[in-house]
Amino acid sequence: DAKTTQPPSMDCAEGRAANLPCNHSTISGNEYVYWYRQIHSQGPQYIIHGLKNNETNEMASLIITEDRKSSTLILPHATLRDTAVYYCIAISNFGNEKLTFGTGTRLTIIP
Amino acid sequence: NAGVTQTPKFRVLKTGQSMTLLCAQDMNHEYMYWYRQDPGMGLRLIHYSVGEGTTAKGEVPDGYNVSRLKKQNFLLGLESAAPSQTSVYFCASSYVPRRGADRDTQYFGPGTRLTVL
């Protein structure tokens, strides 16, 4: 699986869009980009994933660059409940059952 | 659906004691996983199972054993607990990844906080 790099921490004002970057310059063609988050010691929660097209669901949007070497998770209207550690993971869907979680980005939403 | 549940939520052991952590899922998932998370660190995979009766080692398997006798349950055992095993343990489950389709997401339990004195 490709290694990902994320900033260790970010702040965002409540009500604004939170943009969380992730670099995955060694990603291969069959690896997806997944985002999870972990709110204060709870179990990680799936947010969104994508291969090469931008994706949107009820929680967030995922923007993947054309060369797929980086991506951005967007929380359009951040609330205090979005304060969490966000993990970006690049994984293959063929024969690899393991998720490798790094240290992620600690996002703090400021009132 | 309860999703993924873990028993117990908290436990304190003395060095050398043994215990079993239980993970149960009611989503008919094929794959199940055990992770540990140490303070300030990401999750690390201990063992996983791709189906009933099968198990495999993850990144940090030493000191742990697992069993998957029933599809819905995945047990994590510590035969002789050590202080280095003080951690939060998370169980997760997922559908079988289908070749050619998106890999399915993992659903996590609430965690078991284990302290070994």
Side-chain angles (χ1 to χ4, degrees):
Chain A
D1 293 339
K3 178 179 171 57
T4 61
T5 305
Q6 299 176 252
S9 64
M10 292 181 61
D11 293 337
C12 178
E14 186 178 15
R16 305 295 292 268
N19 297 280
L20 291 86
C22 179
N23 287 321
H24 31 79
S25 58
T26 61
I27 196 168
S28 62
N30 66 346
E31 288 181 320
Y32 286 74
V33 179
Y34 271 70
W35 283 84
Y36 285 77
R37 73 180 181 183
Q38 189 173 23
I39 298 173
H40 188 56
S41 300
Q42 297 177 20
Q45 176 191 26
Y46 165 78
I47 302 173
I48 198 168
H49 74 281
L51 183 61
K52 54 184 177 182
N53 297 321
N54 297 339
E55 303 288 344
T56 296
N57 63 20
E58 65 278 6
M59 292 182 66
S61 294
L62 174 62
I63 309 297
I64 302 174
T65 58
E66 192 170 344
D67 63 7
R68 301 206 331 118
K69 293 183 184 301
S70 66
S71 60
T72 301
L73 177 73
I74 302 172
L75 307 177
H77 305 286
T79 70
L80 298 179
R81 288 176 294 180
D82 292 322
T83 293
V85 178
Y86 287 77
Y87 296 99
C88 168
I89 305 166
I91 52 174
S92 167
N93 69 331
F94 294 128
N96 186 335
E97 298 78 23
K98 299 180 284 294
L99 291 182
T100 300
F101 286 80
T103 52
T105 296
R106 181 172 298 278
L107 175 67
T108 302
I109 305 303
I110 310 296
Chain B
N1 286 352
V4 179
T5 58
Q6 294 183 231
T7 308
K9 290 185 170 55
F10 303 92
R11 185 71 185 268
V12 178
L13 290 178
K14 294 181 179 179
T15 297
Q17 287 185 318
S18 63
M19 77 164 295
T20 300
L21 281 67
L22 171 64
C23 176
Q25 52 93 4
D26 61 1
M27 297 174 283
N28 201 34
H29 286 172
E30 289 290 336
Y31 284 38
M32 297 187 74
Y33 315 80
W34 275 106
Y35 294 87
R36 62 176 287 175
Q37 185 174 35
D38 299 324
M41 298 182 65
L43 280 76
R44 293 183 292 170
L45 183 66
I46 304 171
H47 286 281
Y48 65 100
S49 168
V50 302
E52 182 178 319
T54 70
T55 63
K57 294 180 179 180
E59 182 186 355
V60 287
D62 294 342
Y64 305 95
N65 57 76
V66 288
S67 64
R68 183 94 181 272
L69 299 180
K70 294 183 179 180
K71 185 177 182 179
Q72 63 268 33
N73 296 336
F74 195 28
L75 304 178
L76 178 70
L78 287 74
E79 290 186 347
S80 179
S84 61
Q85 294 178 303
T86 293
S87 189
V88 180
Y89 292 84
F90 290 103
C91 176
S93 70
S94 67
Y95 291 109
V96 177
R98 297 176 298 280
R99 185 169 290 272
D102 286 357
R103 179 192 173 101
D104 260 318
T105 62
Q106 293 190 12
Y107 297 83
F108 285 80
T112 294
R113 283 148 185 79
L114 175 66
T115 301
V116 182
L117 303 176

